[in-house]
Amino acid sequence: MLPADLDPSRIPRHIACVMDGNGRWAKQQGLSRTEGHKAGERALFDVLEGADEIGIDWFTVYAFSTENWRRPKDEVRFLINFNEQILLERRDELNERNVRILFSGRRDWRVPKRLIRRMDESLELTQDNTGLTFTIAFNYGGRAELVDAVRCIVESGTPAEKVTEKVIARHLYNPEMPDPDLMIRTSGEYRISNFLLWELAYSELVFSEVLWPDFRREHLYAAIKEYQDRDRRFGGVAGE
Ligand code: IPE
Ligand code: IPE
Ligand code: MG
């Protein structure tokens, strides 16, 4: 199943993805922004299936940021309902594919109880699955995640000298999640936009010009190829 140009011994364990460009895609087609989000669903499930097929263990997507509340009310409402609908419609098929669904993000008063319920149901339904772990970052902000971690650490009464990188990592939303090896952002935007600030410290970043609704597994494989051609040094020296 592996594309011939990919090295099976260097498949990233964790890929994180900023699905961007839905609004611009819709505009190009003369459609409303919400139609762009709808078209993004096909991209997401094609890429997810493609990731699963080549043995990616962790796949994380940015679905809604802590800054996305700034968007027009109607778009925000659409995105909330759309995420709920996707969970309802897709969780059984994901479950059958042995996918474990996780969430990342702040569960504050702005996230409707109904959506939280769908999240908890999806978590529970898939908790024992042993295949790909699919994490949906909703109402997620990298800075908020660090603030929440620090709050927990302070509340637990940990003395300052005991606060280490390991302690911080243990207080992130999903402590067992390995750092992404590869972060992909679509739509030709070259920024992080508050995604996984701590976790991306040594990730390889690949930027694609393709708008998210047009992104398919072939583009994912091309990004992995680019990743495999990089030299990850982690601050060390090449070839040592
Ligand atoms: C990404 O597409 C989806 C979300 C942020 C929810 P955008 O809606 O940001 O699309 P552009 O960037 O405006 O084209
Ligand atoms: C990042 O995209 C958030 C998601 C994809 C959910 P944005 O479109 O919100 O980011 P900016 O505003 O271009 O930085
Ligand atoms: Mg955008």
Side-chain angles (χ1 to χ4, degrees):
M1 282 297 200
L2 196 71
D5 60 342
L6 291 186
D7 174 354
S9 71
R10 295 190 60 215
I11 295 295
R13 182 171 178 219
H14 182 186
I15 298 178
C17 188
V18 181
M19 310 180 286
D20 197 16
N22 296 351
R24 278 162 285 163
W25 181 90
K27 196 169 179 197
Q28 280 179 5
Q29 316 274 323
L31 300 168
S32 64
R33 292 182 56 83
T34 52
E35 291 301 321
H37 298 312
K38 282 190 201 163
E41 180 178 352
R42 205 176 137 204
L44 173 59
F45 285 87
D46 188 70
V47 168
L48 193 63
E49 207 179 289
D52 197 17
E53 269 181 15
I54 63 163
I56 303 294
D57 284 335
W58 292 75
F59 193 81
T60 300
V61 296
Y62 208 2
F64 192 89
S65 76
T66 46
E67 286 70 39
N68 286 148
W69 299 104
R70 293 182 188 147
R71 295 189 176 202
K73 261 204 195 79
D74 283 351
E75 184 173 348
V76 168
R77 196 173 313 126
F78 174 86
L79 286 168
I80 289 171
N81 292 334
F82 187 52
N83 274 275
E84 186 192 351
Q85 188 193 328
I86 287 182
L87 286 179
L88 274 172
E89 287 174 4
R90 301 284 195 156
R91 65 188 178 197
D92 289 327
E93 114 192 23
L94 290 173
N95 188 36
E96 277 157 30
R97 291 219 316 262
N98 198 22
V99 169
R100 180 169 66 131
I101 305 173
L102 293 183
F103 297 91
S104 189
R106 221 180 228 175
R107 290 180 161 209
D108 62 21
W109 57 273
R110 294 178 296 187
V111 184
K113 291 229 161 51
R114 244 189 25 217
L115 178 57
I116 303 253
R117 221 172 307 133
R118 297 295 163 254
M119 290 177 172
D120 285 338
E121 290 162 3
S122 309
L123 271 171
E124 203 184 308
L125 175 73
T126 63
Q127 65 185 349
D128 296 324
N129 290 347
T130 54
L132 178 144
T133 299
F134 173 43
T135 307
I136 302 170
F138 189 91
N139 193 24
Y140 176 87
R143 289 184 173 179
E145 181 175 34
L146 289 172
V147 168
D148 291 348
V150 171
R151 283 182 182 162
C152 272
I153 295 166
V154 170
E155 266 173 14
S156 71
T158 308
E161 69 276 11
K162 297 269 191 222
V163 178
T164 60
E165 292 188 10
K166 268 205 182 103
V167 168
I168 292 175
R170 260 210 312 274
H171 286 84
L172 299 176
Y173 293 135
N174 289 307
E176 80 276 29
M177 181 179 95
D179 289 343
D181 302 292
L182 167 62
M183 193 282 291
I184 302 168
R185 182 169 187 152
T186 61
S187 84
E189 301 290 2
Y190 300 84
R191 55 178 172 267
I192 302 293
S193 300
N194 205 10
F195 192 38
L196 303 175
L197 293 181
W198 177 275
E199 298 88 335
L200 291 177
Y202 267 102
S203 308
E204 293 298 328
L205 310 181
V206 170
F207 297 94
S208 165
E209 297 300 313
V210 177
L211 301 174
W212 178 253
D214 290 330
F215 204 80
R216 292 291 178 274
R217 68 186 74 188
E218 293 72 34
H219 301 107
L220 172 77
Y221 298 155
I224 296 174
K225 172 74 180 127
E226 200 172 326
Y227 162 85
Q228 293 190 336
D229 290 340
R230 304 261 180 98
D231 180 18
R232 297 187 83 187
R233 290 191 289 277
F234 298 97
V237 175
E240 294 288 302

